[in-house]
Amino acid sequence: MKVQETARILANDWVSEEYFKIRLTCSSDYKDAVPGQFVTLRLPGQEEPLLRRPFSIHRLLTAGENALQMEILYRVVGGFTRRLSRQAPEGLLDMLGPVGHGFTVSSHEQPVVLAAGGIGVAPLVFLAERLKHAGTDMSLVTIFLGGLTKTDILCDEIFSGQGAKVSVATEDGTAGVKGLVTDPLNHWLEKNSPAMIYACGPHAMLKAVGAIAKSRDIPCEVSIETLMACGLGVCMGCAVSAGDTEKGYRHVCKDGPVFDAKVLV
Ligand SMILES: Cc1cc2nc3c(=O)[nH]c(=O)nc-3n(C[C@H](O)[C@H](O)[C@H](O)COP(=O)(O)OP(=O)(O)OC[C@H]3O[C@@H](n4cnc5c(N)ncnc54)[C@H](O)[C@@H]3O)c2cc1C
Ligand code: FES
């Protein structure tokens, strides 16, 4: 069930370069939220932007009996995210969620891969927490983080602290191996056979990861970030082509944002 509420900002901290993390009060209804689900935000009383903006749930924190807080990790890319980065604690946000279908969470007994490109890491922290909670031994989890440069590599210490292995790739070689995130992933897959690959990041990366998974017959789920308009399944703002449906497309906000990677390849 979706809840529309006025969330109070508890913290809004700069992380690095154009990345920020905001912590908000949220309804206890989020206790059943699934990693990959997202919220849509507006600044109350402001006409701009007209449309709510979607952000993945990065973390849910318990704050006393029946009270929850939510963290959102975001990158400043335009008008709304710039205004969001200037909001101070005690400010209010109009929040609607949880929206969409998330990742399949289960207790894995074989290795598992999480692959992120840039801000695509945001929902994967929540996913790693829920995999651990479901009983997955975190030493079986390997996280592949990719970005253009070292400041695009986020949350590596959170994952290491959870007991997962972390592999980093940057296109300019300023952190980890030089290249695309799919380079160390391909290398790792020569010796390992994971039960599942979960991925979130730019479309081209998700297509590449999906193609790798398909060629090796590995189940793979991807979280797709598209531009969105209504966020409720009533316009075509978020349609992605999907050959497996009669219509030839799917709505990311309603049918996703998490899909079987076969939708993309
Ligand atoms: C399901 C979902 C989950 C998301 N989760 C996060 C998250 O956890 N953290 C985060 O920082 N962002 C996330 N995004 C992207 C976020 O919604 C956009 O960055 C935000 O709406 C931009 O608003 P703006 O007004 O600041 O920028 P705008 O002025 O709207 O856009 C600025 C520039 O960014 C581009 N852009 C905007 N949205 C996207 C997008 N989705 N994909 C690629 N390019 C885009 C525009 O084309 C434009 O060039 C998510 C998007 C979706 C669909
Ligand atoms: S954004 Fe309108 S249908 Fe998805």
Side-chain angles (χ1 to χ4, degrees), residues 3 14 33 45 55-56 123 133 165 190 228 258:
V3 189
W14 178 79
F55 295 90
S56 305
H133 191 249
K165 298 180 199 81
E190 282 165 20
M228 275 191 191
V258 175

Side-chain angles (χ1 to χ4, degrees), residues 113-136:
V113 165
L114 275 60
I119 192 64
V121 73
L124 299 191
V125 168
F126 186 25
L127 175 61
E129 279 172 1
R130 285 296 160 99
L131 289 176
K132 187 174 182 175
H133 191 249
T136 299

Side-chain angles (χ1 to χ4, degrees), residues 38 53-56 73-75 77-81 119 122 225-228 257:
F38 60 97
R53 295 293 201 255
F55 295 90
S56 305
L73 180 67
Y74 64 99
R75 181 179 190 180
V77 295
F80 178 77
T81 44
I119 192 64
E225 288 187 8
T226 49
L227 296 176
M228 275 191 191

Side-chain angles (χ1 to χ4, degrees), residues 115-211:
I119 192 64
V121 73
L124 299 191
V125 168
F126 186 25
L127 175 61
E129 279 172 1
R130 285 296 160 99
L131 289 176
K132 187 174 182 175
H133 191 249
T136 299
D137 174 353
M138 292 306 282
S139 67
L140 292 173
V141 179
T142 303
I143 323 268
F144 291 88
L145 300 176
L148 287 177
T149 188
K150 65 179 178 187
T151 48
D152 295 322
I153 304 300
L154 304 163
C155 310
D156 43 339
E157 288 175 3
I158 299 179
F159 292 122
S160 307
Q162 290 170 333
K165 298 180 199 81
V166 179
S167 170
V168 170
T170 50
E171 289 185 40
D172 66 0
T174 48
V177 296
K178 185 171 181 180
L180 299 173
V181 70
T182 42
D183 298 338
L185 173 61
N186 265 321
H187 188 66
W188 184 88
L189 287 172
E190 282 165 20
K191 291 192 182 144
N192 297 278
S193 180
M196 173 72 110
I197 299 178
Y198 300 98
C200 184
H203 211 74
M205 176 213 149
L206 297 183
K207 276 193 100 155
V209 171

Side-chain angles (χ1 to χ4, degrees), residues 220-232:
C220 178
E221 289 184 349
V222 294
S223 181
I224 301 176
E225 288 187 8
T226 49
L227 296 176
M228 275 191 191
C230 69
L232 295 168

Side-chain angles (χ1 to χ4, degrees), residues 227-239 251-254:
L227 296 176
M228 275 191 191
C230 69
L232 295 168
V234 295
C235 72
M236 286 290 285
C238 65
H251 287 119
V252 172
C253 67
K254 191 168 63 119

Side-chain angles (χ1 to χ4, degrees), residues 24-44:
L24 307 164
T25 58
C26 72
S27 141
S28 58
D29 291 323
Y30 282 89
K31 68 181 186 313
D32 298 323
V34 179
Q37 286 190 304
F38 60 97
V39 296
T40 60
L41 298 179
R42 280 197 72 180
L43 286 163

